[in-house]
């Protein structure tokens, strides 16, 4: 019998941990407000740069409001997920709702002089503040709207994870 030594398989050590926050909220205006407040609170607990936190606050607020207004299904919640990757200096904001048949679109039709379109300004803000946004299916019947924000400077100062944030943070 011929025996060969198996190669040593090692996983590369991550250079920086990604941090994740995920929470379900009721599909109400109060739930959208709470998602924005808790999202900003989590970013502050992670000690994210204030400029990125301000941009993320608007994006979280708009995506959560859209989930409540356009993605609401009676008896179903929406989910906010934040993924902070310090190595790539990116923050991904994801809002998942139960309405997979209605995808968001930015209104591109011509507007009359002095007239406001009845909707669509929220996604214009998201497009302006995020580096990239898209929408993907969320099985079994929903969708997830994702926005990626980055900062050219320091995303998170080096150091240990802040105390008190461990209950809401899961590491990937």
């Amino acid at each position: 019998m011929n025996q060969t030594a198996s190669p040593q398989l090692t996983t590369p050590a991550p250079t920086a941990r990604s941090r994740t926050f995920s929470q379900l909220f009721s599909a109400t205006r109060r739930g959208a407000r709470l998602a924005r407040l808790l999202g900003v609170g989590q970013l502050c607990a992670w000690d994210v740069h204030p400029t990125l936190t301000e941009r993320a606050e608007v994006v979280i607020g708009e995506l959560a409001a859209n989930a409540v207004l356009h993605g609401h299904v009676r008896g179903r919640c929406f989910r906010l997920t934040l993924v902070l990757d310090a190595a790539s200096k990116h923050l991904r904001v994801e809002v998942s709702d139960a309405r997979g048949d209605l995808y968001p679109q930015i209104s591109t039709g011509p507007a009359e002089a002095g007239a406001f379109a009845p909707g669509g300004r929220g996604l214009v803000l998201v497009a302006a503040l995020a580096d990239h946004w898209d929408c993907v299916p969320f099985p079994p019947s929903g969708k997830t709207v994702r926005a990626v924000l980055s900062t050219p400077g320091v995303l998170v100062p080096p150091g240990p994870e802040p105390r008190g944030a461990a209950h809401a943070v899961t590491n990937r």
Side-chain angles (χ1 to χ4, degrees):
M1 183 162 145
N2 210 359
Q3 289 186 346
T4 58
S6 62
Q8 294 291 352
L9 300 177
T10 60
T11 56
T15 57
R17 288 189 343 204
S18 65
R19 298 176 179 174
T20 302
F21 169 85
S22 189
Q23 180 72 44
L24 284 174
F25 296 95
S26 64
T28 62
R29 292 187 323 187
R30 185 176 184 186
R33 179 177 180 269
L34 186 59
R36 180 181 55 83
L37 292 172
L38 287 179
V40 168
Q42 185 62 56
L43 294 175
C44 290
W46 286 339
D47 205 17
V48 172
H49 195 278
T51 304
L52 182 61
T53 302
E54 290 172 1
R55 289 173 44 213
E57 179 177 13
V58 175
V59 170
I60 293 168
E62 291 299 332
L63 295 182
N66 283 350
V68 169
L69 293 174
H70 307 293
H72 176 73
V73 172
R74 187 177 174 99
R76 302 285 300 273
C77 298
F78 74 93
R79 177 182 302 277
L80 169 67
T81 302
L82 303 175
V83 180
L84 180 67
D85 186 3
S88 65
K89 298 183 181 180
H90 286 101
L91 170 68
R92 189 173 68 238
V93 177
E94 298 180 349
V95 175
S96 302
D97 63 50
R99 190 92 192 263
D101 61 331
L102 185 62
Y103 278 68
Q105 296 177 355
I106 295 179
S107 173
T108 57
E112 296 179 21
F116 287 108
R121 292 182 297 274
L123 286 178
V124 172
L125 287 173
V126 171
L129 295 173
D131 299 334
H132 170 75
W133 76 273
D134 62 3
C135 187
V136 295
F138 182 74
S141 64
K143 68 178 173 297
T144 299
V145 181
R146 305 180 296 193
V148 177
L149 293 86
S150 65
T151 182
V154 175
L155 182 65
V156 178
E161 183 135 343
R163 289 182 296 150
H167 69 278
V169 178
T170 58
N171 295 323
R172 284 192 177 178

